[in-house]
Amino acid sequence: MRELGNNIKIAVNDLSVSYNDEGKSGDPVIIFIHGFPFNKSMWDKQMEALKHGYRVIAYDVRGHGGSDTGTEDFSIELFATDLLNLMDTLKIDKAMLCGLSMGGYIALNAVENYPDRFDALILSDTTCLADTSEAKEKRIKTIENIRKNGVEKFADESIKNLFARESFSTKKKEIAAVREMIVHTDEESLCKTLRAFYERKETCSKLSDIYVPVLIMVGEEDKITPLAAAQLMNEKIKESLLSIIRHAGHLSNIENPVEFNNQLEEFVSTVYYYG
Ligand code: MLT
């Protein structure tokens, strides 16, 4: 029996995963994958907008929100396997995936390894590139700083880079909510995820194999995964669409949900129509 609602706990292999599940059974499924170090609540506005017409699921990636951390080292491959295990446990054969940043890394890995399980991809504020050696060094420094100065300090430093300049005056409530998400992620999971990032492989060379419809979105002031990263994916993925979200930085779905949702709804409605 399907359980509907928020913060549902389900055992996926040995892991307890927390997820939200709304919309009608039988409608096309959209699975939302959050960025780092946030949780499924970052998709609340998209879940609300899309639940009439789609079965919408947002889950907490292992080590984030209400999902267990488990004992293994983290990797993007492990996160993608968790996603497939969650789909199997929920008996979802096919879904559209919408991932932001880390969520995009997971979505790209999942589509590469399990292409038959997905109808469409929405890649938001993400990149197919691996970390440069400079970025890897920065990750190691960040791990050291988290160990030394704690999660609160890490949250304050992260916030500075996540948003468009104007969001600091127009989106104070949303920024406070994002800060809460960060400080509620435990230190061990933060460090394990940062390690998974610097070890992750590029996926750019695999993008020409993607044959499902793809929408790429990027906040016009995204400093973490900037427009150039979105343009690169757009060039490599056949017939992909690119949409630049105004008044937004890295968290475009939170900073400009109206424009983000309009693009998302228009895109998924065409997938459904042709699919
Ligand atoms: C995210 O939002 O998921 C992170 O910025 C990803 C990263 O640091 O590579």
Side-chain angles (χ1 to χ4, degrees):
M1 237 321 243
R2 177 183 167 206
E3 205 178 323
L4 268 169
N6 291 334
N7 299 313
I8 307 164
K9 292 270 192 181
I10 193 166
V12 177
N13 294 342
D14 288 337
L15 205 72
S16 169
V17 172
S18 177
Y19 70 103
N20 300 340
D21 189 350
E22 306 204 49
K24 276 213 310 269
S25 299
D27 279 349
V29 181
I30 309 174
I31 300 179
F32 292 93
I33 320 173
H34 62 80
F36 168 82
F38 317 121
N39 61 55
K40 59 184 174 324
S41 71
M42 71 167 283
W43 296 112
D44 284 354
K45 291 228 165 85
Q46 286 67 47
M47 296 281 285
E48 194 50 39
L50 276 291
K51 71 181 180 187
H52 308 287
Y54 300 89
R55 177 177 175 189
V56 285
I57 295 172
Y59 74 101
D60 289 330
V61 173
R62 105 172 26 220
H64 297 75
S67 290
D68 277 354
T69 304
T71 51
E72 294 106 307
D73 287 340
F74 288 179
S75 65
I76 302 302
E77 288 74 17
L78 179 70
F79 292 155
T81 309
D82 287 342
L83 164 67
L84 267 290
N85 289 341
L86 175 68
M87 288 173 69
D88 290 344
T89 308
L90 295 176
K91 302 204 178 344
I92 293 167
D93 183 36
K94 279 199 141 192
M96 296 183 259
L97 281 184
C98 177
L100 185 137
S101 200
M102 171 181 76
Y105 307 159
I106 300 169
L108 284 168
N109 186 289
V111 167
E112 181 187 331
N113 291 304
Y114 311 92
D116 301 339
R117 300 294 297 273
F118 303 102
D119 300 308
L121 266 189
I122 301 102
L123 299 170
S124 169
D125 302 280
T126 193
T127 179
C128 60
L129 295 164
D131 276 6
T132 58
S133 44
E134 199 189 343
K136 283 182 193 184
E137 271 170 36
K138 216 166 140 212
R139 303 273 193 207
I140 293 166
K141 197 101 218 106
T142 306
I143 293 172
E144 286 167 10
N145 286 341
I146 293 172
R147 299 276 191 220
K148 201 160 98 204
N149 305 318
V151 178
E152 299 262 347
K153 185 93 196 314
F154 168 68
D156 292 333
E157 288 301 313
S158 305
I159 292 288
K160 290 182 196 157
N161 291 319
L162 286 170
F163 297 94
R165 196 151 11 121
E166 67 180 279
S167 296
F168 289 99
S169 47
T170 58
K171 293 278 177 284
K172 289 193 169 142
K173 202 168 84 217
E174 290 80 354
I175 292 177
V178 168
R179 190 180 183 283
E180 280 302 291
M181 291 184 219
I182 302 176
V183 296
H184 282 104
T185 313
D186 74 72
E187 189 179 310
E188 199 47 39
S189 296
L190 291 174
C191 298
K192 283 173 91 165
T193 312
L194 285 163
R195 247 177 262 127
F197 287 164
Y198 72 66
E199 280 166 1
R200 79 180 193 283
K201 298 188 205 73
E202 63 81 31
T203 49
C204 305
S205 57
K206 308 285 166 35
L207 296 183
S208 57
D209 297 338
I210 296 179
Y211 56 83
V212 293
V214 178
L215 169 64
I216 298 158
M217 289 198 266
V218 59
E220 65 181 344
E221 282 183 53
D222 187 339
K223 294 193 273 286
I224 298 174
T225 46
L227 177 60
Q231 284 168 329
L232 178 69
M233 295 190 292
N234 182 221
E235 276 160 30
K236 290 184 178 288
I237 306 176
K238 288 182 282 289
E239 293 179 34
S240 59
L241 305 170
L242 173 63
S243 175
I244 299 166
I245 306 295
R246 289 168 304 148
H247 310 292
H250 189 54
L251 297 186
S252 56
N253 72 312
I254 293 178
E255 295 177 80
N256 192 346
V258 173
E259 206 164 304
F260 189 99
N261 290 357
N262 283 344
Q263 297 294 331
L264 177 61
E265 288 191 70
E266 195 180 319
F267 173 72
V268 291
S269 70
T270 48
V271 172
Y272 184 42
Y273 182 73
Y274 291 109

